[in-house]
Amino acid sequence: GGIPAPRLLAAAARAEQPPYAFITAVPGSSAEESWEFLSRAEQLAVARQFGAVTAAYQQLPHHRLAAVEREIGDGRASIQFERAQRLAEIEAAPTRPEDRRPFDDLLPAQRDELIYFVTREAPDYFAVPLKFSHCDLSHAHFYVSNATGTWQCSGVIDWAEAMVVPPEWDHTYLWFWTFTRDQEAMKACLQAFFADTRPPERFARRCFAAILQPMRGSRSGPRCVTNSPNRNPNPARSCAR
């Protein structure tokens, strides 16, 4: 009950007409729209709230998702599918300039190292207890509000991609898509997320393994929230360390 998210009011699947769902509205506006209007102190305070909210919903029981996963596939099936996709993209040679992807700029030795990582090292990082995860955390899906006079996280929307996966999936979305590699904001977020525990061993490499799953060979790169002076210009190095 303490996790700010839309609540389902009514839903139905109808034979002759499209299905419908009614949910409660989330107050405020998206972080994408509001971030630049927050002071730096307010941004860091909200980042800590994002981390606390993420930690809270990852602790939710997810046994009720078993029936859904049996019908449409589970997180482990998604990991296997995405792994095959990444390997195909790494090994493929582009035939047109517009088909080039980040993987195509790797030297042969780097390409071999990445293939080894995907096939040998990354699977060990996924052999962990899975967590209920949003899997699409971006600045457009976190809502904030200053209705009380203080900027606060007012909700998390768009749970259509939610799955039971390793927890680092959401961390990578926070790093790339929510904070756009803003190191100070991400540090504040992680401090709140790990308030009662320590990050797992080789946390950065676990996150690197996770970001290879939803990348889908993106040519455009992560979306941006702000041109913060704390933005790290070298995300691959930060993730892989």
Side-chain angles (χ1 to χ4, degrees):
I3 299 172
R7 299 306 193 255
L8 180 66
L9 299 177
R14 300 177 291 180
E16 303 297 330
Q17 295 178 324
Y20 68 84
F22 292 98
I23 60 175
T24 57
V26 172
S29 55
S30 70
E32 178 182 19
E33 299 170 309
S34 305
W35 194 258
E36 63 180 305
F37 301 110
L38 277 63
S39 69
R40 188 57 179 167
E42 290 170 333
Q43 289 177 352
L44 297 180
V46 167
R48 285 188 284 271
Q49 293 177 31
F50 289 175
V53 168
T54 304
Y57 72 66
Q58 284 199 356
Q59 297 305 313
L60 291 173
H62 47 76
H63 60 276
R64 295 174 64 181
L65 289 176
V68 177
E69 292 182 331
R70 282 195 297 270
E71 182 175 346
I72 65 174
D74 60 11
R76 295 197 185 279
S78 177
I79 288 172
Q80 294 175 0
F81 173 80
E82 295 290 353
R83 182 183 301 143
Q85 294 288 101
R86 296 298 81 75
L87 289 173
E89 290 168 356
I90 295 168
E91 296 170 348
T95 58
R96 300 179 302 174
E98 59 267 28
D99 291 334
R100 293 190 64 80
R101 296 149 302 188
F103 301 130
D104 299 323
D105 296 325
L106 297 175
L107 297 173
Q110 294 174 318
R111 189 181 300 268
D112 291 342
E113 184 179 2
L114 185 56
I115 291 173
Y116 180 89
F117 179 84
V118 172
T119 57
R120 300 293 185 88
E121 185 176 345
D124 291 339
Y125 300 141
F126 296 143
V128 296
L130 304 184
K131 301 290 186 178
F132 176 73
S133 301
H134 186 283
C135 293
D136 196 14
L137 287 178
S138 77
H139 54 296
H141 296 154
F142 276 112
Y143 267 55
V144 294
S145 171
N146 66 344
T148 63
T150 302
W151 283 100
Q152 295 181 334
C153 175
S154 57
V156 186
I157 68 167
D158 198 350
W159 293 84
E161 304 294 331
M163 288 190 295
V164 180
V165 293
E168 287 79 20
W169 278 37
D170 278 349
H171 297 146
T172 60
Y173 274 96
L174 287 163
W175 169 243
F176 280 107
W177 279 269
T178 302
F179 301 122
T180 319
R181 306 188 298 278
D182 180 337
Q183 291 179 313
E184 191 177 18
M186 188 66 193
K187 181 178 179 180
C189 177
L190 289 178
Q191 286 175 338
F193 184 93
F194 291 113
D196 299 321
T197 185
R198 294 177 58 85
E201 185 179 356
R202 312 198 80 183
F203 176 64
R205 293 188 72 83
R206 291 176 184 275
C207 290
F208 184 53
I211 197 57
L212 288 174
Q213 301 300 317
M215 273 181 66
R216 304 183 191 280
S218 172
R219 303 184 188 93
S220 59
R223 292 162 284 181
C224 293
V225 99
T226 180
N227 292 321
S228 165
N230 296 282
R231 179 173 172 268
N232 188 330
N234 194 336
R237 188 174 180 182
S238 297
C239 285
R241 268 202 304 260

